[in-house]
Protein backbone atom coordinates (compact mmCIF):
# COMPACT_ATOMS: atom_id res chain seq x y z
CA UNK A 1 0.00 0.00 0.00
CA UNK A 2 1.52 3.30 -1.07
CA UNK A 3 1.62 6.30 1.26
CA UNK A 4 1.28 9.87 0.16
CA UNK A 5 4.04 11.41 2.28
CA UNK A 6 3.22 14.91 1.05
CA UNK A 7 0.23 14.89 3.41
CA UNK A 8 2.62 14.76 6.36
CA UNK A 9 4.90 17.55 5.19
CA UNK A 10 4.99 20.31 7.79
CA UNK A 11 5.39 23.87 6.61
CA UNK A 12 8.67 25.33 7.87
CA UNK A 13 7.02 28.43 9.37
CA UNK A 14 4.40 26.33 11.15
CA UNK A 15 7.11 24.02 12.53
CA UNK A 16 9.11 27.01 13.81
CA UNK A 17 6.02 28.51 15.41
CA UNK A 18 5.14 25.27 17.20
CA UNK A 19 8.67 24.91 18.57
CA UNK A 20 8.58 28.52 19.75
CA UNK A 21 5.28 27.93 21.58
CA UNK A 22 6.59 24.75 23.21
CA UNK A 23 9.70 26.54 24.47
CA UNK A 24 7.68 29.51 25.65
CA UNK A 25 5.70 27.07 27.79
CA UNK A 26 8.97 25.55 29.06
CA UNK A 27 8.33 22.32 27.21
CA UNK A 28 11.72 21.39 25.79
CA UNK A 29 10.28 17.97 25.00
CA UNK A 30 6.89 17.94 23.20
CA UNK A 31 5.61 15.10 25.40
CA UNK A 32 5.93 17.34 28.43
CA UNK A 33 3.04 19.38 27.10
CA UNK A 34 0.76 16.38 27.48
CA UNK A 35 1.10 16.62 31.27
CA UNK A 36 -0.92 19.20 33.26
CA UNK A 37 1.26 22.07 34.37
CA UNK A 38 0.69 22.37 38.11
CA UNK A 39 2.71 25.56 38.33
CA UNK A 40 0.85 27.21 35.45
CA UNK A 41 -0.69 30.59 36.35
CA UNK A 42 -3.96 29.42 34.83
CA UNK A 43 -4.06 26.50 37.24
CA UNK A 44 -3.39 28.59 40.34
CA UNK A 45 -4.67 32.11 39.87
CA UNK A 46 -7.77 33.81 38.53
CA UNK A 47 -7.56 37.27 36.94
CA UNK A 48 -7.85 40.14 39.38
CA UNK A 49 -11.47 40.89 40.14
CA UNK A 50 -12.99 37.80 38.50
CA UNK A 51 -14.02 36.06 41.76
CA UNK A 52 -15.72 39.26 42.94
CA UNK A 53 -17.61 39.70 39.67
CA UNK A 54 -18.73 36.07 39.75
CA UNK A 55 -19.81 36.37 43.40
CA UNK A 56 -21.74 39.52 42.54
CA UNK A 57 -23.54 37.77 39.70
CA UNK A 58 -24.54 34.93 42.01
CA UNK A 59 -25.82 37.34 44.63
CA UNK A 60 -27.90 39.17 42.03
CA UNK A 61 -29.22 35.96 40.49
CA UNK A 62 -30.23 34.38 43.80
CA UNK A 63 -31.86 37.64 44.88
CA UNK A 64 -33.93 37.64 41.68
CA UNK A 65 -35.14 34.10 42.38
CA UNK A 66 -35.98 34.91 46.01
CA UNK A 67 -37.86 38.12 45.13
CA UNK A 68 -39.85 36.27 42.45
CA UNK A 69 -40.74 33.62 45.02
CA UNK A 70 -41.80 36.25 47.55
CA UNK A 71 -43.82 38.16 44.96
CA UNK A 72 -45.77 35.12 43.81
CA UNK A 73 -45.97 33.58 47.28
CA UNK A 74 -46.86 36.61 49.40
CA UNK A 75 -48.70 38.96 47.04
CA UNK A 76 -50.22 36.49 44.54
CA UNK A 77 -51.45 33.75 46.87
CA UNK A 78 -48.76 31.07 46.70
CA UNK A 79 -48.37 28.01 44.53
CA UNK A 80 -50.53 25.08 43.46
CA UNK A 81 -51.10 22.75 40.52
CA UNK A 82 -54.86 22.83 40.21
CA UNK A 83 -55.55 25.15 37.29
CA UNK A 84 -56.05 28.17 39.53
CA UNK A 85 -54.10 31.42 39.55
CA UNK A 86 -51.74 29.75 42.03
CA UNK A 87 -50.69 27.39 39.24
CA UNK A 88 -49.88 30.39 37.07
CA UNK A 89 -47.50 31.58 39.82
CA UNK A 90 -45.27 28.59 39.06
CA UNK A 91 -44.59 30.09 35.64
CA UNK A 92 -42.64 33.26 36.56
CA UNK A 93 -40.66 31.45 39.25
CA UNK A 94 -39.58 28.71 36.84
CA UNK A 95 -38.69 31.19 34.11
CA UNK A 96 -36.49 33.33 36.35
CA UNK A 97 -34.86 30.27 37.91
CA UNK A 98 -34.36 28.32 34.69
CA UNK A 99 -33.97 30.68 31.73
CA UNK A 100 -32.19 33.45 33.62
CA UNK A 101 -30.31 32.32 36.72
CA UNK A 102 -29.32 28.74 35.83
CA UNK A 103 -28.81 29.65 32.20
CA UNK A 104 -26.53 32.51 33.20
CA UNK A 105 -24.58 30.18 35.49
CA UNK A 106 -24.22 27.64 32.68
CA UNK A 107 -22.56 30.13 30.35
CA UNK A 108 -20.22 31.24 33.15
CA UNK A 109 -18.75 27.76 33.61
CA UNK A 110 -15.78 28.44 31.33
CA UNK A 111 -14.89 31.51 33.40
CA UNK A 112 -15.32 29.92 36.82
CA UNK A 113 -13.59 26.56 36.31
CA UNK A 114 -10.33 27.61 34.73
CA UNK A 115 -8.03 24.68 35.57
CA UNK A 116 -10.36 21.69 35.13
CA UNK A 117 -10.33 19.65 31.93
CA UNK A 118 -12.30 21.12 29.08
CA UNK A 119 -14.42 17.99 28.65
CA UNK A 120 -15.50 18.11 32.30
CA UNK A 121 -16.56 21.73 31.89
CA UNK A 122 -18.44 20.88 28.69
CA UNK A 123 -20.41 18.18 30.52
CA UNK A 124 -21.22 20.54 33.41
CA UNK A 125 -22.15 23.30 30.93
CA UNK A 126 -24.55 20.95 29.11
CA UNK A 127 -25.97 19.51 32.36
CA UNK A 128 -26.86 22.95 33.76
CA UNK A 129 -28.53 23.83 30.48
CA UNK A 130 -30.53 20.60 30.67
CA UNK A 131 -31.70 21.38 34.23
CA UNK A 132 -32.68 24.88 33.08
CA UNK A 133 -34.58 23.31 30.18
CA UNK A 134 -36.57 20.97 32.44
CA UNK A 135 -37.49 23.80 34.83
CA UNK A 136 -38.53 25.97 31.88
CA UNK A 137 -40.77 23.20 30.51
CA UNK A 138 -42.53 23.02 33.90
CA UNK A 139 -43.07 26.79 33.75
CA UNK A 140 -44.53 26.60 30.25
CA UNK A 141 -46.85 23.73 31.14
CA UNK A 142 -48.09 25.68 34.17
CA UNK A 143 -49.08 28.78 32.21
CA UNK A 144 -50.70 26.88 29.33
CA UNK A 145 -52.63 24.64 31.74
CA UNK A 146 -53.86 27.68 33.68
CA UNK A 147 -54.94 29.43 30.47
CA UNK A 148 -56.78 26.32 29.28
CA UNK A 149 -58.78 25.93 32.49
CA UNK A 150 -59.46 29.67 32.85
CA UNK A 151 -60.49 29.98 29.17
CA UNK A 152 -57.78 32.61 28.51
CA UNK A 153 -56.38 32.88 24.95
CA UNK A 154 -52.76 31.82 24.41
CA UNK A 155 -49.90 33.49 22.56
CA UNK A 156 -51.44 36.89 21.84
CA UNK A 157 -49.10 39.22 23.76
CA UNK A 158 -45.59 40.40 22.94
CA UNK A 159 -44.40 38.76 26.15
CA UNK A 160 -45.68 35.36 25.04
CA UNK A 161 -44.15 35.74 21.57
CA UNK A 162 -40.75 36.67 22.99
CA UNK A 163 -41.02 33.88 25.55
CA UNK A 164 -41.74 31.23 22.95
CA UNK A 165 -38.95 32.55 20.71
CA UNK A 166 -36.52 32.40 23.64
CA UNK A 167 -37.52 28.85 24.51
CA UNK A 168 -37.28 27.56 20.93
CA UNK A 169 -33.87 29.20 20.40
CA UNK A 170 -32.71 27.87 23.77
CA UNK A 171 -33.62 24.30 22.79
CA UNK A 172 -31.95 24.75 19.40
CA UNK A 173 -28.80 26.18 20.98
CA UNK A 174 -28.60 23.30 23.45
CA UNK A 175 -29.04 20.61 20.79
CA UNK A 176 -26.52 22.26 18.48
CA UNK A 177 -24.03 22.53 21.31
CA UNK A 178 -24.39 18.82 22.10
CA UNK A 179 -23.98 17.90 18.46
CA UNK A 180 -20.92 20.03 17.79
CA UNK A 181 -18.97 19.92 21.05
CA UNK A 182 -19.82 16.74 22.97
CA UNK A 183 -20.61 14.06 20.40
CA UNK A 184 -17.70 12.63 18.39
CA UNK A 185 -17.53 12.80 14.63
CA UNK A 186 -17.65 16.57 14.05
CA UNK A 187 -14.52 17.90 12.38
CA UNK A 188 -12.39 20.41 14.32
CA UNK A 189 -12.72 22.86 11.42
CA UNK A 190 -16.53 22.77 11.64
CA UNK A 191 -16.40 23.19 15.42
CA UNK A 192 -14.15 26.22 15.12
CA UNK A 193 -16.52 27.78 12.58
CA UNK A 194 -19.57 27.24 14.78
CA UNK A 195 -17.91 28.25 18.07
CA UNK A 196 -18.23 32.01 17.54
CA UNK A 197 -21.93 31.64 16.67
CA UNK A 198 -22.50 29.47 19.72
CA UNK A 199 -20.92 32.04 22.02
CA UNK A 200 -22.78 34.95 20.42
CA UNK A 201 -26.21 33.31 20.57
CA UNK A 202 -25.54 32.17 24.13
CA UNK A 203 -25.17 35.76 25.29
CA UNK A 204 -27.96 37.00 23.01
CA UNK A 205 -30.35 34.44 24.48
CA UNK A 206 -29.62 35.64 28.01
CA UNK A 207 -30.42 39.20 26.93
CA UNK A 208 -33.63 38.00 25.28
CA UNK A 209 -34.63 36.03 28.39
CA UNK A 210 -34.14 39.08 30.63
CA UNK A 211 -36.09 41.29 28.20
CA UNK A 212 -38.94 38.75 28.14
CA UNK A 213 -39.03 38.73 31.94
CA UNK A 214 -39.33 42.52 31.96
CA UNK A 215 -42.26 42.32 29.58
CA UNK A 216 -43.86 39.66 31.77
CA UNK A 217 -43.40 41.72 34.94
CA UNK A 218 -45.07 44.74 33.34
CA UNK A 219 -47.90 42.64 31.93
CA UNK A 220 -48.58 40.96 35.28
CA UNK A 221 -48.62 44.26 37.17
CA UNK A 222 -50.99 45.88 34.68
CA UNK A 223 -53.35 42.90 34.90
CA UNK A 224 -53.20 42.64 38.71
CA UNK A 225 -52.91 46.14 40.21
CA UNK A 226 -53.89 48.50 37.43
CA UNK A 227 -55.76 50.92 39.68
CA UNK A 228 -53.03 51.20 42.36
CA UNK A 229 -49.83 50.70 40.38
CA UNK A 230 -49.31 54.44 39.87
CA UNK A 231 -49.53 55.05 43.63
CA UNK A 232 -46.34 53.09 44.35
CA UNK A 233 -48.12 50.02 45.60
CA UNK A 234 -45.61 47.83 47.55
CA UNK A 235 -46.19 44.95 45.15
CA UNK A 236 -45.37 47.22 42.21
CA UNK A 237 -42.22 48.53 43.88
CA UNK A 238 -41.07 44.98 44.60
CA UNK A 239 -41.72 43.87 41.01
CA UNK A 240 -39.94 46.92 39.58
CA UNK A 241 -36.97 46.18 41.84
CA UNK A 242 -36.97 42.63 40.51
CA UNK A 243 -36.78 44.01 36.98
CA UNK A 244 -33.77 46.18 37.80
CA UNK A 245 -31.99 43.25 39.45
CA UNK A 246 -32.62 41.06 36.42
CA UNK A 247 -31.06 43.72 34.22
CA UNK A 248 -28.12 43.94 36.62
CA UNK A 249 -27.62 40.16 36.51
CA UNK A 250 -27.68 40.10 32.72
CA UNK A 251 -25.28 43.04 32.41
CA UNK A 252 -22.82 41.58 34.92
CA UNK A 253 -22.81 38.14 33.28
CA UNK A 254 -22.33 39.80 29.89
CA UNK A 255 -19.43 41.85 31.26
CA UNK A 256 -17.70 38.75 32.63
CA UNK A 257 -18.13 36.91 29.34
CA UNK A 258 -16.83 39.73 27.15
CA UNK A 259 -13.72 40.63 29.17
CA UNK A 260 -10.83 39.11 27.22
CA UNK A 261 -8.65 38.64 30.32
CA UNK A 262 -11.41 36.57 31.96
CA UNK A 263 -11.37 33.94 29.20
CA UNK A 264 -10.24 30.47 30.17
CA UNK A 265 -6.62 30.22 28.98
CA UNK A 266 -5.72 27.34 26.66
CA UNK A 267 -4.00 24.56 28.57
CA UNK A 268 -0.81 23.20 26.99
CA UNK A 269 -1.96 19.58 27.17
CA UNK A 270 -5.28 20.47 25.48
CA UNK A 271 -3.53 22.37 22.72
CA UNK A 272 -1.16 19.46 22.08
CA UNK A 273 -3.99 16.93 21.98
CA UNK A 274 -6.26 19.08 19.82
CA UNK A 275 -3.74 19.91 17.10
CA UNK A 276 -5.21 18.53 13.87
CA UNK A 277 -3.87 18.27 10.35
CA UNK A 278 -4.74 21.83 9.39
CA UNK A 279 -2.86 23.21 12.37
CA UNK A 280 0.34 21.43 11.36
CA UNK A 281 0.20 22.14 7.66
CA UNK A 282 -1.14 25.71 7.60
CA UNK A 283 -0.11 27.04 11.00
CA UNK A 284 -3.67 27.89 12.08
CA UNK A 285 -4.65 27.86 15.73
CA UNK A 286 -7.08 25.31 17.06
CA UNK A 287 -10.46 26.49 18.34
CA UNK A 288 -10.21 28.26 21.64
CA UNK A 289 -12.53 27.93 24.61
CA UNK A 290 -15.73 29.98 24.68
Amino acid sequence: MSTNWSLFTIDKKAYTRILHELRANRCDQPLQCLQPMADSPAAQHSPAGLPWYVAGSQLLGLTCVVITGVWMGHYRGGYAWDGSSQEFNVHPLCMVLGLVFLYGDAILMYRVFRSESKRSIKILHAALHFIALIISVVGFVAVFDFHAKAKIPDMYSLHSWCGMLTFVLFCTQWLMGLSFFLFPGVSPWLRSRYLSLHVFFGLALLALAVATCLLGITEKLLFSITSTYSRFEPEGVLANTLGLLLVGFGVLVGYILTREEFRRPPHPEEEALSMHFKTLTEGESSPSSP
Side-chain angles (χ1 to χ4, degrees), residues 151-185:
K151 310 299 182 183
I152 297 175
D154 292 315
M155 300 300 300
Y156 65 89
S157 66
L158 180 59
H159 166 68
S160 61
W161 288 18
C162 289
M164 186 58 69
L165 176 64
T166 303
F167 182 72
V168 170
L169 291 178
F170 174 82
C171 294
T172 304
Q173 171 89 339
W174 185 69
L175 291 174
M176 293 286 284
L178 284 180
S179 302
F180 277 86
F181 300 117
L182 272 180
F183 293 156

Side-chain angles (χ1 to χ4, degrees), residues 14 58 61 68 86 93 95 127 152 192 263 267 284:
Q58 297 310 288
T68 306
Q86 283 73 35
L93 181 61
M95 295 300 105
I152 297 175
S192 67
R263 290 177 64 90
H267 292 198
E284 293 187 6

Side-chain angles (χ1 to χ4, degrees), residues 93-284:
L93 181 61
C94 286
M95 295 300 105
V96 171
L97 176 59
L99 282 184
V100 178
F101 179 55
L102 290 180
Y103 179 72
D105 276 2
I107 61 180
L108 283 178
M109 289 298 100
Y110 285 95
R111 303 299 185 268
V112 175
F113 299 103
R114 304 174 61 81
S115 58
E116 283 73 13
S117 68
K118 187 183 290 186
R119 181 163 184 82
S120 297
I121 302 175
K122 285 180 180 180
I123 293 173
L124 181 59
H125 178 75
L128 270 180
H129 275 91
F130 181 69
I131 295 172
L133 175 63
I134 296 301
I135 293 174
S136 302
V137 168
V138 173
F140 268 95
V141 171
V143 70
F144 279 112
D145 188 52
F146 164 69
H147 282 181
K149 292 179 178 178
K151 310 299 182 183
I152 297 175
D154 292 315
M155 300 300 300
Y156 65 89
S157 66
L158 180 59
H159 166 68
S160 61
W161 288 18
C162 289
M164 186 58 69
L165 176 64
T166 303
F167 182 72
V168 170
L169 291 178
F170 174 82
C171 294
T172 304
Q173 171 89 339
W174 185 69
L175 291 174
M176 293 286 284
L178 284 180
S179 302
F180 277 86
F181 300 117
L182 272 180
F183 293 156
V186 180
S187 70
W189 177 85
L190 193 57
R191 286 179 179 173
S192 67
R193 293 293 182 180
Y194 176 66
L195 178 62
S196 59
L197 288 175
H198 186 74
V199 173
F200 168 77
F201 279 107
L203 190 54
L205 275 172
L206 179 62
L208 184 56
V210 170
T212 303
C213 286
L214 298 182
L215 289 172
I217 290 171
T218 302
E219 184 177 289
K220 181 62 177 176
L221 290 175
L222 292 178
F223 285 163
S224 302
I225 56 170
T226 304
S227 59
T228 58
Y229 187 21
S230 61
R231 296 200 292 269
F232 293 92
E233 178 79 15
E235 180 180 354
V237 173
L238 181 70
N240 288 348
T241 302
L242 170 62
L244 291 178
L245 291 173
L246 286 168
V247 172
F249 177 77
V251 168
L252 188 52
V253 171
Y255 178 74
I256 295 171
L257 290 174
T258 53
R259 282 281 294 270
E260 188 64 28
E261 61 267 35
F262 290 169
R263 290 177 64 90
R264 181 178 183 271
H267 292 198
E269 70 275 10
E270 292 173 356
E271 287 192 325
L273 290 171
S274 64
M275 278 194 228
H276 46 78
F277 174 76
K278 197 170 184 179
T279 304
L280 294 174
T281 56
E282 300 181 15
E284 293 187 6

